[in-house]
Amino acid sequence: MSSKTIRNFSKRGDALPVPVLTRVQADAYRRFLQLDTAHDARNTMLGLEALLREVFPIASYDNSMRLEYLYYKLDEPRYTADECRELRLTYGRPFRIGVRLVREGTSEIAEEEIYLGDIPIMLGGGEFIVNGAERCIVSQLHRSPGVDFSIVSSFGDRPLHQARVIPERGSWIELEVTKKDVLAMRIAQSTKLAATTFLRALDEQYSSTARLLELIYEVEEIKVAKLKPEHYAAELVIDADTGEELCRVGSQIGDMVSTIQASALPAIRVITNASDPLILNTLAEEKLDFLAGVTEHEAALLKIYGRLRPGNPPQIDKAKALFQEKFFDENRYRLGRVGRFRINRKFEHDKEYCEGGKLGQLPAETVQRIRAQDFLAVIRYMLDLRGKRNKAHVDDIDHLGNRRLRTLDELATEEMRKGFLKLRRTVQERMSTREPGDLAKIAALVNSKSISSAIEFFFGRSELSQVVDQTNPLSML
């Protein structure tokens, strides 16, 4: 057999070697399991370890019992990959967690390892064997957490702008300019309310109308003799002699100009040049319900409580608890590191947004709740968009810079969280029905079915789990 000479006629060689195409999948699963790391040296901010530390400890309703998390471990698989293909089984490692039960009134502390199901093993090509079939998890491209601005529609020749604050976890906040030139907002598809109401509720120092006007408009003190009807009052105008209210804060002076000039007031604080009356219109439409002895901050909380829980009687304590739970509890609302990074990048030139009012001193990426300064920066950016100033521009939501890849570790954590929340409810219910002394085993409290079914659903039946197509080697990517 004669040998063939291979001639290379290309002028240039390969610029780059072909990378490991399944590296994204393999690295993500490694972050999720942290299998090669000792349990006391694992990163508590990643994957399964972060999830378990978030769910535990689980305390009973009366705090007489507490189930604490110690560690998790993944044992060696019971069958080989070929045996699993043949017997139509899942090729996985038994997943066990070490827990400790602390009971009130007894010094005995029980510790136990509990089996919660099998976690599939990733093979060399990024695939898993689930019920004998080779399947892979497809990464998801979604809208990145942060804030996006767009033009939702036009009213005549006037564009109506919209902003969305998208968290990593929790309710979306949507702001939009209405046809009446009012800045309205929605919390997770609820009915509309004034955007200034939400700002008042976020922080007590931003709750007064006078403070809001100072932050958005240029306020100056002028003598009443120079007062004009087109000016807006930046403070409550009260006649010093009679105690009569002459003009509400945020209202246009209008016909009251002669009455104010005739009063004993020497000067008042006003907005002389309201170039964009959007916030003034919003304050006029706000209509906060003031109960006896309620501050503006509390009135805003009650208004939001009424929209989120229609039909419930208004109570300050319940309104505060609901708002705290919905926006300040990191387990329920979190911007995420990506979300905070994108918000920082958007508002880095806004002094009020920066820490201490100093440019360049941006909030740390660990600050993952929404602050009043964040929301105020969104409002100011909307005003810049309407006024076409400070290089403000709308975002293209289809641009890949505004999208993000949700990899295998994040997707698996999200699905398993649902199972662990079910497990927590079950444990709390079983704790409430049993006496602390009657428990022989911790396993009697824990129902492992909720975790094993979450694992089975995610790897076997979820929309992101696909059978590896043997005809196309790139399908697993």
Side-chain angles (χ1 to χ4, degrees), residues 89 199-200 370 383:
L89 299 172
L199 184 55
R200 291 178 199 269
I370 187 166
L383 294 171

Side-chain angles (χ1 to χ4, degrees), residues 333-349:
Y333 188 93
R334 191 169 71 195
L335 289 169
R337 294 175 73 87
V338 175
R340 175 55 68 190
F341 168 77
R342 287 189 69 232
I343 292 174
N344 281 350
R345 189 175 61 182
K346 193 79 176 172
F347 303 132
E348 62 186 350
H349 301 300

